[in-house]
Amino acid sequence: SALPMMKRRYAQFNPKRKLLTPSEAEVRVAELQVLASRARYGGNPEHKRNPGDFGLVPPSDPRQGKSLCDVARIFKRTEAEALLRAGLRKGLVSDRMDGEWPKNVWSVTDDGFAMEAQLENPVLGTYHGYPMPETDPLSLEVKRRWEHING
């Protein structure tokens, strides 16, 4: 008997990831401004081929299949942190929280790369981020919202 064909699995996107609606973000604008001023970018060595000035230990060690920040040309912690804070100020955050922090924050680079940051430490408010694959349906929504919000 022939084995059934195995379906090839592509990157799985967490279906629970959801942006706050614009009206939900509007209500929380003051809170998000405060969080933006406190948020920090930690960084994950698995997403970096070039560790730049992130000071990652162990040294950069890209894992196969991980999206690399190098693609989006983000090599400085200050750039990553600025994007993270802009995403918070614009309200491009997850509707899911861990303590006072949104689980995810989204932003878009000057070159048009949609980025996703994931909370890594809910006590310190540190995140690590990575470029969103073009195939992620949420990336289009992030880009659309980013262009229509000042912040």
Side-chain angles (χ1 to χ4, degrees):
S1 67
L3 288 171
M5 288 280 292
M6 291 296 289
K7 276 192 180 161
R8 195 161 184 193
R9 292 187 62 190
Y10 291 92
Q12 295 294 303
F13 306 114
N14 182 343
K16 293 182 186 147
R17 293 177 317 152
K18 213 169 84 206
L19 284 154
L20 286 184
T21 65
S23 54
E24 288 169 335
E26 190 63 38
V27 171
R28 296 176 56 189
V29 70
E31 169 202 346
L32 293 171
Q33 294 283 354
V34 171
L35 290 178
S37 68
R38 294 174 44 216
R40 297 281 176 268
Y41 189 86
N44 182 335
E46 290 176 346
H47 292 284
K48 310 250 181 335
R49 189 173 290 126
N50 175 346
D53 72 350
F54 289 88
L56 295 171
V57 179
S60 69
D61 178 25
R63 183 161 31 136
Q64 291 299 90
K66 279 288 195 181
S67 64
L68 294 171
C69 295
D70 309 47
V71 174
R73 296 195 282 282
I74 295 175
F75 300 116
K76 290 189 164 60
R77 186 185 297 269
T78 51
E79 293 170 39
E81 210 158 79
L83 280 168
L84 171 66
R85 291 174 170 187
L88 281 159
R89 283 195 303 272
K90 287 176 179 265
L92 292 181
V93 301
S94 170
D95 64 347
R96 296 168 67 226
M97 304 289 287
D98 188 344
E100 64 182 327
W101 297 97
K103 288 229 180 230
N104 298 95
V105 178
W106 293 277
S107 57
V108 180
T109 68
D110 290 342
D111 293 335
F113 287 97
M115 305 293 289
E116 179 172 80
Q118 196 173 330
L119 185 65
E120 60 184 31
N121 186 321
V123 176
L124 301 174
T126 53
Y127 287 78
H128 70 271
Y130 35 86
M132 298 175 79
E134 298 283 315
T135 50
D136 186 340
L138 196 57
S139 70
L140 295 172
E141 176 68 6
V142 166
K143 288 179 187 181
R144 193 181 63 74
R145 291 266 294 273
W146 181 265
E147 289 167 11
H148 290 89
I149 304 169
N150 299 316

PDB file of all heavy atoms in Angstrom, residues 44-76:
ATOM      1  N   ASN A  44      17.994  38.449  19.592  1.00  0.00           N
ATOM      2  CA  ASN A  44      18.128  37.012  19.661  1.00  0.00           C
ATOM      3  C   ASN A  44      19.212  36.596  18.670  1.00  0.00           C
ATOM      4  O   ASN A  44      19.076  36.838  17.481  1.00  0.00           O
ATOM      5  CB  ASN A  44      16.781  36.380  19.291  1.00  0.00           C
ATOM      6  CG  ASN A  44      16.806  34.872  19.383  1.00  0.00           C
ATOM      7  OD1 ASN A  44      17.850  34.244  19.276  1.00  0.00           O
ATOM      8  ND2 ASN A  44      15.643  34.279  19.559  1.00  0.00           N
ATOM      9  N   PRO A  45      20.312  35.973  19.166  1.00  0.00           N
ATOM     10  CA  PRO A  45      21.411  35.628  18.253  1.00  0.00           C
ATOM     11  C   PRO A  45      20.999  34.687  17.129  1.00  0.00           C
ATOM     12  O   PRO A  45      21.656  34.637  16.104  1.00  0.00           O
ATOM     13  CB  PRO A  45      22.459  34.979  19.164  1.00  0.00           C
ATOM     14  CG  PRO A  45      21.761  34.650  20.433  1.00  0.00           C
ATOM     15  CD  PRO A  45      20.574  35.575  20.542  1.00  0.00           C
ATOM     16  N   GLU A  46      19.890  33.963  17.309  1.00  0.00           N
ATOM     17  CA  GLU A  46      19.459  33.054  16.246  1.00  0.00           C
ATOM     18  C   GLU A  46      18.954  33.795  15.016  1.00  0.00           C
ATOM     19  O   GLU A  46      18.807  33.219  13.953  1.00  0.00           O
ATOM     20  CB  GLU A  46      18.356  32.126  16.768  1.00  0.00           C
ATOM     21  CG  GLU A  46      18.886  31.127  17.764  1.00  0.00           C
ATOM     22  CD  GLU A  46      17.783  30.263  18.346  1.00  0.00           C
ATOM     23  OE1 GLU A  46      16.604  30.614  18.175  1.00  0.00           O
ATOM     24  OE2 GLU A  46      18.112  29.239  18.961  1.00  0.00           O
ATOM     25  N   HIS A  47      18.633  35.084  15.177  1.00  0.00           N
ATOM     26  CA  HIS A  47      18.109  35.856  14.047  1.00  0.00           C
ATOM     27  C   HIS A  47      19.178  36.726  13.395  1.00  0.00           C
ATOM     28  O   HIS A  47      18.873  37.530  12.535  1.00  0.00           O
ATOM     29  CB  HIS A  47      16.961  36.762  14.502  1.00  0.00           C
ATOM     30  CG  HIS A  47      15.750  35.995  14.898  1.00  0.00           C
ATOM     31  ND1 HIS A  47      14.894  35.431  13.991  1.00  0.00           N
ATOM     32  CD2 HIS A  47      15.249  35.691  16.114  1.00  0.00           C
ATOM     33  CE1 HIS A  47      13.911  34.817  14.641  1.00  0.00           C
ATOM     34  NE2 HIS A  47      14.110  34.954  15.919  1.00  0.00           N
ATOM     35  N   LYS A  48      20.428  36.601  13.833  1.00  0.00           N
ATOM     36  CA  LYS A  48      21.461  37.503  13.323  1.00  0.00           C
ATOM     37  C   LYS A  48      22.623  36.725  12.720  1.00  0.00           C
ATOM     38  O   LYS A  48      23.206  35.879  13.363  1.00  0.00           O
ATOM     39  CB  LYS A  48      22.010  38.360  14.465  1.00  0.00           C
ATOM     40  CG  LYS A  48      20.936  39.030  15.287  1.00  0.00           C
ATOM     41  CD  LYS A  48      20.908  40.490  15.058  1.00  0.00           C
ATOM     42  CE  LYS A  48      19.858  41.213  15.878  1.00  0.00           C
ATOM     43  NZ  LYS A  48      18.704  40.462  16.304  1.00  0.00           N
ATOM     44  N   ARG A  49      22.970  37.066  11.503  1.00  0.00           N
ATOM     45  CA  ARG A  49      24.205  36.542  10.949  1.00  0.00           C
ATOM     46  C   ARG A  49      25.321  37.511  11.320  1.00  0.00           C
ATOM     47  O   ARG A  49      26.435  37.136  11.603  1.00  0.00           O
ATOM     48  CB  ARG A  49      24.090  36.408   9.423  1.00  0.00           C
ATOM     49  CG  ARG A  49      25.274  35.661   8.829  1.00  0.00           C
ATOM     50  CD  ARG A  49      25.082  35.393   7.353  1.00  0.00           C
ATOM     51  NE  ARG A  49      24.051  34.416   7.101  1.00  0.00           N
ATOM     52  CZ  ARG A  49      23.003  34.607   6.293  1.00  0.00           C
ATOM     53  NH1 ARG A  49      22.854  35.745   5.654  1.00  0.00           N
ATOM     54  NH2 ARG A  49      22.123  33.655   6.103  1.00  0.00           N
ATOM     55  N   ASN A  50      24.990  38.800  11.315  1.00  0.00           N
ATOM     56  CA  ASN A  50      25.935  39.846  11.671  1.00  0.00           C
ATOM     57  C   ASN A  50      25.462  40.437  12.994  1.00  0.00           C
ATOM     58  O   ASN A  50      24.446  41.119  13.030  1.00  0.00           O
ATOM     59  CB  ASN A  50      25.913  40.908  10.564  1.00  0.00           C
ATOM     60  CG  ASN A  50      26.769  42.111  10.889  1.00  0.00           C
ATOM     61  OD1 ASN A  50      27.186  42.305  12.030  1.00  0.00           O
ATOM     62  ND2 ASN A  50      27.024  42.916   9.895  1.00  0.00           N
ATOM     63  N   PRO A  51      26.183  40.196  14.103  1.00  0.00           N
ATOM     64  CA  PRO A  51      25.671  40.626  15.393  1.00  0.00           C
ATOM     65  C   PRO A  51      25.701  42.136  15.604  1.00  0.00           C
ATOM     66  O   PRO A  51      25.153  42.627  16.582  1.00  0.00           O
ATOM     67  CB  PRO A  51      26.580  39.909  16.393  1.00  0.00           C
ATOM     68  CG  PRO A  51      27.841  39.673  15.650  1.00  0.00           C
ATOM     69  CD  PRO A  51      27.462  39.504  14.204  1.00  0.00           C
ATOM     70  N   GLY A  52      26.329  42.903  14.690  1.00  0.00           N
ATOM     71  CA  GLY A  52      26.346  44.355  14.818  1.00  0.00           C
ATOM     72  C   GLY A  52      26.773  44.769  16.215  1.00  0.00           C
ATOM     73  O   GLY A  52      27.710  44.207  16.776  1.00  0.00           O
ATOM     74  N   ASP A  53      26.076  45.718  16.795  1.00  0.00           N
ATOM     75  CA  ASP A  53      26.461  46.162  18.144  1.00  0.00           C
ATOM     76  C   ASP A  53      25.512  45.621  19.198  1.00  0.00           C
ATOM     77  O   ASP A  53      25.380  46.187  20.273  1.00  0.00           O
ATOM     78  CB  ASP A  53      26.515  47.697  18.205  1.00  0.00           C
ATOM     79  CG  ASP A  53      25.135  48.345  18.161  1.00  0.00           C
ATOM     80  OD1 ASP A  53      24.125  47.635  17.898  1.00  0.00           O
ATOM     81  OD2 ASP A  53      25.055  49.556  18.380  1.00  0.00           O
ATOM     82  N   PHE A  54      24.831  44.512  18.894  1.00  0.00           N
ATOM     83  CA  PHE A  54      23.857  43.985  19.838  1.00  0.00           C
ATOM     84  C   PHE A  54      24.507  43.340  21.058  1.00  0.00           C
ATOM     85  O   PHE A  54      23.850  43.087  22.053  1.00  0.00           O
ATOM     86  CB  PHE A  54      22.927  42.962  19.162  1.00  0.00           C
ATOM     87  CG  PHE A  54      21.958  43.594  18.202  1.00  0.00           C
ATOM     88  CD1 PHE A  54      22.295  43.800  16.887  1.00  0.00           C
ATOM     89  CD2 PHE A  54      20.701  43.987  18.631  1.00  0.00           C
ATOM     90  CE1 PHE A  54      21.403  44.380  16.002  1.00  0.00           C
ATOM     91  CE2 PHE A  54      19.801  44.567  17.756  1.00  0.00           C
ATOM     92  CZ  PHE A  54      20.153  44.764  16.440  1.00  0.00           C
ATOM     93  N   GLY A  55      25.823  43.063  20.984  1.00  0.00           N
ATOM     94  CA  GLY A  55      26.528  42.477  22.114  1.00  0.00           C
ATOM     95  C   GLY A  55      25.935  41.153  22.555  1.00  0.00           C
ATOM     96  O   GLY A  55      25.784  40.894  23.739  1.00  0.00           O
ATOM     97  N   LEU A  56      25.564  40.321  21.593  1.00  0.00           N
ATOM     98  CA  LEU A  56      24.887  39.077  21.931  1.00  0.00           C
ATOM     99  C   LEU A  56      25.852  37.994  22.379  1.00  0.00           C
ATOM    100  O   LEU A  56      26.926  37.836  21.815  1.00  0.00           O
ATOM    101  CB  LEU A  56      24.090  38.572  20.716  1.00  0.00           C
ATOM    102  CG  LEU A  56      22.942  39.483  20.302  1.00  0.00           C
ATOM    103  CD1 LEU A  56      22.371  39.023  18.983  1.00  0.00           C
ATOM    104  CD2 LEU A  56      21.858  39.500  21.357  1.00  0.00           C
ATOM    105  N   VAL A  57      25.452  37.302  23.414  1.00  0.00           N
ATOM    106  CA  VAL A  57      26.209  36.154  23.907  1.00  0.00           C
ATOM    107  C   VAL A  57      25.236  34.986  23.970  1.00  0.00           C
ATOM    108  O   VAL A  57      24.186  35.125  24.591  1.00  0.00           O
ATOM    109  CB  VAL A  57      26.779  36.443  25.314  1.00  0.00           C
ATOM    110  CG1 VAL A  57      27.551  35.240  25.823  1.00  0.00           C
ATOM    111  CG2 VAL A  57      27.671  37.680  25.278  1.00  0.00           C
ATOM    112  N   PRO A  58      25.504  33.844  23.382  1.00  0.00           N
ATOM    113  CA  PRO A  58      26.698  33.574  22.587  1.00  0.00           C
ATOM    114  C   PRO A  58      26.729  34.411  21.319  1.00  0.00           C
ATOM    115  O   PRO A  58      25.715  34.986  20.942  1.00  0.00           O
ATOM    116  CB  PRO A  58      26.541  32.094  22.233  1.00  0.00           C
ATOM    117  CG  PRO A  58      25.075  31.847  22.277  1.00  0.00           C
ATOM    118  CD  PRO A  58      24.549  32.756  23.349  1.00  0.00           C
ATOM    119  N   PRO A  59      27.905  34.492  20.666  1.00  0.00           N
ATOM    120  CA  PRO A  59      27.997  35.283  19.434  1.00  0.00           C
ATOM    121  C   PRO A  59      26.945  34.838  18.428  1.00  0.00           C
ATOM    122  O   PRO A  59      26.406  33.749  18.556  1.00  0.00           O
ATOM    123  CB  PRO A  59      29.398  34.979  18.910  1.00  0.00           C
ATOM    124  CG  PRO A  59      30.136  34.352  20.030  1.00  0.00           C
ATOM    125  CD  PRO A  59      29.129  33.789  20.984  1.00  0.00           C
ATOM    126  N   SER A  60      26.712  35.660  17.447  1.00  0.00           N
ATOM    127  CA  SER A  60      25.619  35.385  16.517  1.00  0.00           C
ATOM    128  C   SER A  60      25.706  33.967  15.984  1.00  0.00           C
ATOM    129  O   SER A  60      26.760  33.487  15.614  1.00  0.00           O
ATOM    130  CB  SER A  60      25.636  36.392  15.373  1.00  0.00           C
ATOM    131  OG  SER A  60      26.742  36.186  14.546  1.00  0.00           O
ATOM    132  N   ASP A  61      24.569  33.301  15.988  1.00  0.00           N
ATOM    133  CA  ASP A  61      24.497  31.894  15.623  1.00  0.00           C
ATOM    134  C   ASP A  61      23.185  31.646  14.904  1.00  0.00           C
ATOM    135  O   ASP A  61      22.230  31.178  15.495  1.00  0.00           O
ATOM    136  CB  ASP A  61      24.589  31.041  16.898  1.00  0.00           C
ATOM    137  CG  ASP A  61      24.462  29.560  16.597  1.00  0.00           C
ATOM    138  OD1 ASP A  61      24.775  29.152  15.460  1.00  0.00           O
ATOM    139  OD2 ASP A  61      24.040  28.824  17.493  1.00  0.00           O
ATOM    140  N   PRO A  62      23.123  32.032  13.611  1.00  0.00           N
ATOM    141  CA  PRO A  62      21.844  31.899  12.916  1.00  0.00           C
ATOM    142  C   PRO A  62      21.381  30.455  12.850  1.00  0.00           C
ATOM    143  O   PRO A  62      22.158  29.571  12.524  1.00  0.00           O
ATOM    144  CB  PRO A  62      22.116  32.456  11.527  1.00  0.00           C
ATOM    145  CG  PRO A  62      23.590  32.494  11.374  1.00  0.00           C
ATOM    146  CD  PRO A  62      24.190  32.540  12.750  1.00  0.00           C
ATOM    147  N   ARG A  63      20.134  30.231  13.178  1.00  0.00           N
ATOM    148  CA  ARG A  63      19.540  28.906  13.111  1.00  0.00           C
ATOM    149  C   ARG A  63      18.880  28.755  11.750  1.00  0.00           C
ATOM    150  O   ARG A  63      18.227  29.673  11.264  1.00  0.00           O
ATOM    151  CB  ARG A  63      18.487  28.776  14.234  1.00  0.00           C
ATOM    152  CG  ARG A  63      17.880  27.399  14.275  1.00  0.00           C
ATOM    153  CD  ARG A  63      17.198  27.060  15.582  1.00  0.00           C
ATOM    154  NE  ARG A  63      16.600  28.143  16.303  1.00  0.00           N
ATOM    155  CZ  ARG A  63      15.402  28.075  16.870  1.00  0.00           C
ATOM    156  NH1 ARG A  63      14.660  27.002  16.749  1.00  0.00           N
ATOM    157  NH2 ARG A  63      14.928  29.077  17.560  1.00  0.00           N
ATOM    158  N   GLN A  64      19.020  27.574  11.149  1.00  0.00           N
ATOM    159  CA  GLN A  64      18.392  27.326   9.862  1.00  0.00           C
ATOM    160  C   GLN A  64      16.891  27.584   9.970  1.00  0.00           C
ATOM    161  O   GLN A  64      16.266  27.183  10.943  1.00  0.00           O
ATOM    162  CB  GLN A  64      18.619  25.872   9.433  1.00  0.00           C
ATOM    163  CG  GLN A  64      20.057  25.562   9.077  1.00  0.00           C
ATOM    164  CD  GLN A  64      20.543  26.396   7.911  1.00  0.00           C
ATOM    165  OE1 GLN A  64      21.074  27.477   8.085  1.00  0.00           O
ATOM    166  NE2 GLN A  64      20.347  25.910   6.713  1.00  0.00           N
ATOM    167  N   GLY A  65      16.344  28.269   8.978  1.00  0.00           N
ATOM    168  CA  GLY A  65      14.905  28.471   8.950  1.00  0.00           C
ATOM    169  C   GLY A  65      14.442  29.678   9.743  1.00  0.00           C
ATOM    170  O   GLY A  65      13.280  30.034   9.711  1.00  0.00           O
ATOM    171  N   LYS A  66      15.346  30.333  10.454  1.00  0.00           N
ATOM    172  CA  LYS A  66      14.955  31.543  11.187  1.00  0.00           C
ATOM    173  C   LYS A  66      15.071  32.714  10.220  1.00  0.00           C
ATOM    174  O   LYS A  66      15.990  32.771   9.405  1.00  0.00           O
ATOM    175  CB  LYS A  66      15.911  31.799  12.363  1.00  0.00           C
ATOM    176  CG  LYS A  66      15.606  30.970  13.579  1.00  0.00           C
ATOM    177  CD  LYS A  66      14.342  31.461  14.245  1.00  0.00           C
ATOM    178  CE  LYS A  66      14.219  30.885  15.638  1.00  0.00           C
ATOM    179  NZ  LYS A  66      12.989  31.327  16.286  1.00  0.00           N
ATOM    180  N   SER A  67      14.165  33.677  10.326  1.00  0.00           N
ATOM    181  CA  SER A  67      14.294  34.854   9.469  1.00  0.00           C
ATOM    182  C   SER A  67      15.371  35.733  10.076  1.00  0.00           C
ATOM    183  O   SER A  67      15.436  35.921  11.277  1.00  0.00           O
ATOM    184  CB  SER A  67      12.970  35.597   9.357  1.00  0.00           C
ATOM    185  OG  SER A  67      12.580  36.098  10.609  1.00  0.00           O
ATOM    186  N   LEU A  68      16.242  36.235   9.235  1.00  0.00           N
ATOM    187  CA  LEU A  68      17.387  36.999   9.724  1.00  0.00           C
ATOM    188  C   LEU A  68      17.152  38.494   9.639  1.00  0.00           C
ATOM    189  O   LEU A  68      16.680  39.005   8.632  1.00  0.00           O
ATOM    190  CB  LEU A  68      18.633  36.642   8.903  1.00  0.00           C
ATOM    191  CG  LEU A  68      19.124  35.200   9.064  1.00  0.00           C
ATOM    192  CD1 LEU A  68      20.204  34.903   8.044  1.00  0.00           C
ATOM    193  CD2 LEU A  68      19.632  34.977  10.477  1.00  0.00           C
ATOM    194  N   CYS A  69      17.528  39.195  10.703  1.00  0.00           N
ATOM    195  CA  CYS A  69      17.401  40.645  10.723  1.00  0.00           C
ATOM    196  C   CYS A  69      18.293  41.279   9.662  1.00  0.00           C
ATOM    197  O   CYS A  69      18.055  42.390   9.222  1.00  0.00           O
ATOM    198  CB  CYS A  69      17.797  41.195  12.092  1.00  0.00           C
ATOM    199  SG  CYS A  69      16.679  40.645  13.379  1.00  0.00           S
ATOM    200  N   ASP A  70      19.348  40.559   9.274  1.00  0.00           N
ATOM    201  CA  ASP A  70      20.264  41.088   8.273  1.00  0.00           C
ATOM    202  C   ASP A  70      19.529  41.418   6.978  1.00  0.00           C
ATOM    203  O   ASP A  70      19.885  42.360   6.274  1.00  0.00           O
ATOM    204  CB  ASP A  70      21.372  40.065   7.968  1.00  0.00           C
ATOM    205  CG  ASP A  70      22.053  39.542   9.219  1.00  0.00           C
ATOM    206  OD1 ASP A  70      21.329  39.176  10.163  1.00  0.00           O
ATOM    207  OD2 ASP A  70      23.278  39.495   9.255  1.00  0.00           O
ATOM    208  N   VAL A  71      18.498  40.639   6.662  1.00  0.00           N
ATOM    209  CA  VAL A  71      17.712  40.872   5.446  1.00  0.00           C
ATOM    210  C   VAL A  71      17.132  42.286   5.469  1.00  0.00           C
ATOM    211  O   VAL A  71      17.114  42.987   4.472  1.00  0.00           O
ATOM    212  CB  VAL A  71      16.553  39.844   5.356  1.00  0.00           C
ATOM    213  CG1 VAL A  71      15.638  40.158   4.189  1.00  0.00           C
ATOM    214  CG2 VAL A  71      17.110  38.443   5.219  1.00  0.00           C
ATOM    215  N   ALA A  72      16.671  42.705   6.643  1.00  0.00           N
ATOM    216  CA  ALA A  72      16.070  44.029   6.772  1.00  0.00           C
ATOM    217  C   ALA A  72      17.114  45.101   7.063  1.00  0.00           C
ATOM    218  O   ALA A  72      16.783  46.253   7.299  1.00  0.00           O
ATOM    219  CB  ALA A  72      15.016  44.008   7.883  1.00  0.00           C
ATOM    220  N   ARG A  73      18.379  44.712   7.047  1.00  0.00           N
ATOM    221  CA  ARG A  73      19.497  45.633   7.249  1.00  0.00           C
ATOM    222  C   ARG A  73      19.382  46.411   8.564  1.00  0.00           C
ATOM    223  O   ARG A  73      19.521  47.628   8.580  1.00  0.00           O
ATOM    224  CB  ARG A  73      19.630  46.582   6.051  1.00  0.00           C
ATOM    225  CG  ARG A  73      19.983  45.838   4.774  1.00  0.00           C
ATOM    226  CD  ARG A  73      20.472  46.762   3.698  1.00  0.00           C
ATOM    227  NE  ARG A  73      19.399  47.484   3.033  1.00  0.00           N
ATOM    228  CZ  ARG A  73      18.608  46.948   2.113  1.00  0.00           C
ATOM    229  NH1 ARG A  73      18.753  45.705   1.766  1.00  0.00           N
ATOM    230  NH2 ARG A  73      17.674  47.666   1.543  1.00  0.00           N
ATOM    231  N   ILE A  74      19.106  45.680   9.634  1.00  0.00           N
ATOM    232  CA  ILE A  74      19.089  46.298  10.961  1.00  0.00           C
ATOM    233  C   ILE A  74      20.272  45.728  11.726  1.00  0.00           C
ATOM    234  O   ILE A  74      20.285  44.555  12.069  1.00  0.00           O
ATOM    235  CB  ILE A  74      17.775  46.002  11.699  1.00  0.00           C
ATOM    236  CG1 ILE A  74      16.630  46.663  10.951  1.00  0.00           C
ATOM    237  CG2 ILE A  74      17.839  46.510  13.138  1.00  0.00           C
ATOM    238  CD1 ILE A  74      15.274  46.350  11.514  1.00  0.00           C
ATOM    239  N   PHE A  75      21.275  46.566  11.939  1.00  0.00           N
ATOM    240  CA  PHE A  75      22.497  46.090  12.587  1.00  0.00           C
ATOM    241  C   PHE A  75      22.767  46.805  13.908  1.00  0.00           C
ATOM    242  O   PHE A  75      23.693  46.458  14.615  1.00  0.00           O
ATOM    243  CB  PHE A  75      23.701  46.258  11.661  1.00  0.00           C
ATOM    244  CG  PHE A  75      23.560  45.493  10.375  1.00  0.00           C
ATOM    245  CD1 PHE A  75      23.499  46.152   9.164  1.00  0.00           C
ATOM    246  CD2 PHE A  75      23.459  44.113  10.374  1.00  0.00           C
ATOM    247  CE1 PHE A  75      23.362  45.450   7.979  1.00  0.00           C
ATOM    248  CE2 PHE A  75      23.313  43.395   9.188  1.00  0.00           C
ATOM    249  CZ  PHE A  75      23.274  44.070   7.990  1.00  0.00           C
ATOM    250  N   LYS A  76      21.991  47.824  14.224  1.00  0.00           N
ATOM    251  CA  LYS A  76      22.227  48.565  15.455  1.00  0.00           C
ATOM    252  C   LYS A  76      21.050  48.396  16.408  1.00  0.00           C
ATOM    253  O   LYS A  76      19.902  48.484  16.003  1.00  0.00           O
ATOM    254  CB  LYS A  76      22.424  50.050  15.146  1.00  0.00           C
ATOM    255  CG  LYS A  76      23.734  50.363  14.432  1.00  0.00           C
ATOM    256  CD  LYS A  76      23.946  51.860  14.374  1.00  0.00           C
ATOM    257  CE  LYS A  76      25.387  52.206  14.042  1.00  0.00           C
ATOM    258  NZ  LYS A  76      25.803  51.664  12.755  1.00  0.00           N
TER     259      LYS A  76
END
